[in-house]
């Protein structure tokens, strides 16, 4: 009995499917018309949609590890409070470095980089605004109409409106355009991809971002070593001045005791004191000069080498929404939506 009910249910299901197919077939003109309209809209969209250009820049990072061998040779420097062996940028390794490229600070500094726009020196932010045609939309908004983003402008002087606009730019670029990735964890090669509907903007932004991050990274990594070297150079100059003064003092004291009665040894004391100063300052200066040279070696060791491998070259890789793709996709979506609409309308009628 159950098998008979199952056979009847299956037969009813097949009959129901035939009924729906016949209904949709009777509406073929509407479905086809919807498909044609959808194809026309898809074709129109393919003409309106701007092509997306992608600029790619890759570079290799060589970062020598400090330590070991120099540590034992820097004893005197440590006694003066200098630390020549430490690394100043261990935080920027691996994925941290790729995140640095996508940070708001680096992107905003890049947007304020100078660029030639219509024969005039402008900024990438102004180039972005022009590409998005925001100026036309700001004509009726006084607080936006006078906003300017000058190249290399001081970020501290920006108003709340400046910050708001830069925030919109950053969100758009970081989510829809900028991609930074390390090709292989074992190889320090980083690739930057920037996608934009403006070919020149994609190229200029990628190059400017690489330079900004490179300068910041090198400055941060070598900051401690540069500070120590500057202190050592200052100390060396100071001791050298003291030594020269002590040498002069010895000469003056010697002149004052020339042909002096040998019995009057007290009068020779200033000369002896100056001689001791000369010897002490000579020893200190000798060691400081050694430490200064070691500091220079450390600075070179702490300064990473960033070598650009590939730069974006015009014309850039272009991705266009094709006409055939627009026709097929638009026609299919429109026809599918029309079928769903017809089914929903009939179901509602049957329920009502």
């Amino acid at each position: 009995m159950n098998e008979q009910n199952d056979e009847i249910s299956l037969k009813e299901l097949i009959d129901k499917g035939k009924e729906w197919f016949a209904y949709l077939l009777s509406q073929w003109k509407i479905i086809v018309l919807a498909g044609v309209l959808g194809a026309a809209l898809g074709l129109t969209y393919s003409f309106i949609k701007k092509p997306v250009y992608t600029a790619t820049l890759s570079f290799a990072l060589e970062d020598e590890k400090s330590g070991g061998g120099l540590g034992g040779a820097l004893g005197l420097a440590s006694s003066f409070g200098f630390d020549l062996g430490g690394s100043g940028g261990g935080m920027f390794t691996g994925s941290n470095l790729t995140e640095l490229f996508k940070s708001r600070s680096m992107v905003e500094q890049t947007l304020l980089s100078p660029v030639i726009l219509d024969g005039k020196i402008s900024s990438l932010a102004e180039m972005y605004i022009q590409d998005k045609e925001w100026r036309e939309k700001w004509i009726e908004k006084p607080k936006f109409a006078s906003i300017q983003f000058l190249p290399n402008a001081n970020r501290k002087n920006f108003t709340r409106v400046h910050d708001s606009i830069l925030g919109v730019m950053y969100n758009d670029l970081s989510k829809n355009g900028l991609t930074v990735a390390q090709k292989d964890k074992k190889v320090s090669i980083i690739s930057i991809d920037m996608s934009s509907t403006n070919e020149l903007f994609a190229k200029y932004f990628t190059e400017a971002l690489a330079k900004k991050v490179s300068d910041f990274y090198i400055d941060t990594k070598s900051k401690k070593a540069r500070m120590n070297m500057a202190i050592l150079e200052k100390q060396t100059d100071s001791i050298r001045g003291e030594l020269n003064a002590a040498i002069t003092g010895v000469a003056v004291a010697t002149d004052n005791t020339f042909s002096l009665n040998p019995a009057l040894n007290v009068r020779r004391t200033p000369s002896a004191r100056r001689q001791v100063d000369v010897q002490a300052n000579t020893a200190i200066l000798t060691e400081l000069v050694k430490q200064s040279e070691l500091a220079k070696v450390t600075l070179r060791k702490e300064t990473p080498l960033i070598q650009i491998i590939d730069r974006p070259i015009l014309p850039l890789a272009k991705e266009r929404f094709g006409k055939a793709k627009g026709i097929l996709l638009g026609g299919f979506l429109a026809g599918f939506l029309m079928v769903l609409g017809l089914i929903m309308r009939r179901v509602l009628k049957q329920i009502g």
Side-chain angles (χ1 to χ4, degrees):
M1 186 69 178
N2 290 336
E3 292 181 358
Q4 186 177 0
N5 290 337
D6 291 341
E7 289 178 0
I8 294 173
S9 298
L10 180 61
K11 183 178 179 181
E12 289 179 350
L13 182 63
I14 293 174
D15 292 339
K16 206 70 174 177
K18 290 180 179 179
E19 181 183 346
W20 277 105
F21 180 77
Y23 168 73
L24 293 176
L25 191 62
S26 66
Q27 304 292 325
W28 70 271
K29 292 183 180 180
I30 298 177
I31 297 174
V32 170
L33 179 60
V36 172
L37 291 175
L41 291 174
L43 180 62
T44 303
Y45 179 77
S46 68
F47 282 109
I48 297 174
K49 177 67 175 177
K50 294 181 180 180
V52 177
Y53 299 91
T54 302
T56 301
L57 184 147
S58 61
F59 64 88
L61 174 65
E62 181 183 356
D63 185 10
E64 294 186 18
K65 301 297 182 184
S66 62
L70 288 177
L74 302 180
L76 182 63
S78 298
S79 67
F80 282 109
F82 308 134
D83 180 12
L84 299 179
S87 175
M91 70 206 72
F92 298 129
T93 56
S95 59
N96 289 347
L97 182 57
T98 60
E99 289 299 319
L100 178 62
F101 279 90
K102 295 184 287 185
S103 67
R104 177 162 179 165
S105 175
M106 291 295 102
V107 171
E108 288 185 354
Q109 289 183 43
T110 302
L111 286 170
L112 297 176
S113 299
V115 65
I116 303 298
L117 184 61
D118 296 332
K120 299 179 181 179
I121 299 179
S122 185
S123 66
L124 282 169
E126 287 293 336
M127 192 174 186
Y128 180 94
I129 291 172
Q130 179 175 312
D131 184 55
K132 296 292 183 179
E133 298 179 351
W134 285 358
R135 292 290 177 195
E136 290 76 4
K137 302 174 183 178
W138 292 347
I139 293 177
E140 299 179 356
K141 299 179 180 179
K143 69 176 182 179
F144 290 104
S146 59
I147 290 294
Q148 295 289 333
F149 291 94
L150 300 177
N152 296 322
N154 189 345
R155 185 71 174 76
K156 296 180 180 179
N157 297 330
F158 282 0
T159 64
R160 186 183 180 91
V161 178
H162 284 92
D163 293 340
S164 175
I165 296 173
L166 282 176
V168 173
M169 294 182 189
Y170 168 71
N171 289 330
D172 179 43
L173 293 175
S174 61
K175 294 179 181 178
N176 303 321
L178 181 61
T179 304
V180 184
Q182 191 171 353
K183 293 184 177 181
D184 191 337
K185 293 182 179 179
K186 297 181 180 179
V187 181
S188 297
I189 297 180
I190 296 176
S191 178
I192 310 171
D193 293 328
M194 180 63 202
S195 300
S196 174
T197 55
N198 188 319
E199 185 178 27
L200 291 178
F201 178 84
K203 180 180 185 298
Y204 293 156
F205 184 90
T206 304
E207 294 175 338
L209 178 63
K211 186 178 186 309
K212 287 291 182 183
V213 175
S214 174
D215 292 344
F216 177 81
Y217 179 70
I218 291 175
D219 181 70
T220 303
K221 285 283 289 183
S222 59
K223 183 177 181 180
K224 192 174 182 180
R226 282 187 290 104
M227 289 174 60
N228 287 327
M229 190 179 73
I231 293 173
L232 277 171
E233 289 179 345
K234 184 178 179 180
Q235 291 287 343
T236 301
D237 293 339
S238 177
I239 294 298
R240 184 177 285 111
E242 291 291 334
L243 177 59
N244 292 335
I247 293 173
T248 303
V250 170
V252 171
T254 302
D255 291 343
N256 291 337
T257 58
F258 182 73
S259 299
L260 186 67
N261 187 342
L264 300 176
N265 290 325
V266 176
R267 302 289 296 275
R268 301 180 187 275
T269 302
S271 177
R273 289 176 178 173
R274 288 294 184 177
Q275 191 65 43
V276 171
D277 290 341
V278 169
Q279 293 174 355
N281 287 328
T282 300
I284 295 174
L285 181 62
T286 302
E287 292 299 328
L288 283 175
V289 170
K290 291 180 182 178
Q291 301 306 321
S292 295
E293 293 303 316
L294 286 173
K296 293 177 182 178
V297 173
T298 303
L299 178 59
R300 289 193 293 269
K301 190 178 183 66
E302 290 290 334
T303 302
L305 174 63
I306 295 180
Q307 180 62 51
I308 294 180
I309 300 173
D310 292 316
R311 292 180 177 273
I313 301 175
L314 299 176
L316 300 179
K318 179 173 61 175
E319 182 180 352
R320 184 186 292 275
F321 192 83
K323 299 179 181 63
K325 181 179 179 181
I327 292 173
L328 293 175
L329 189 60
F332 174 78
L333 287 177
F336 180 73
L337 291 175
M338 180 55 70
V339 169
L340 286 180
L342 291 172
I343 292 174
M344 291 296 297
R345 188 181 69 172
R346 190 178 184 195
V347 170
L348 292 175
K349 283 183 176 180
Q350 290 177 351
I351 293 175

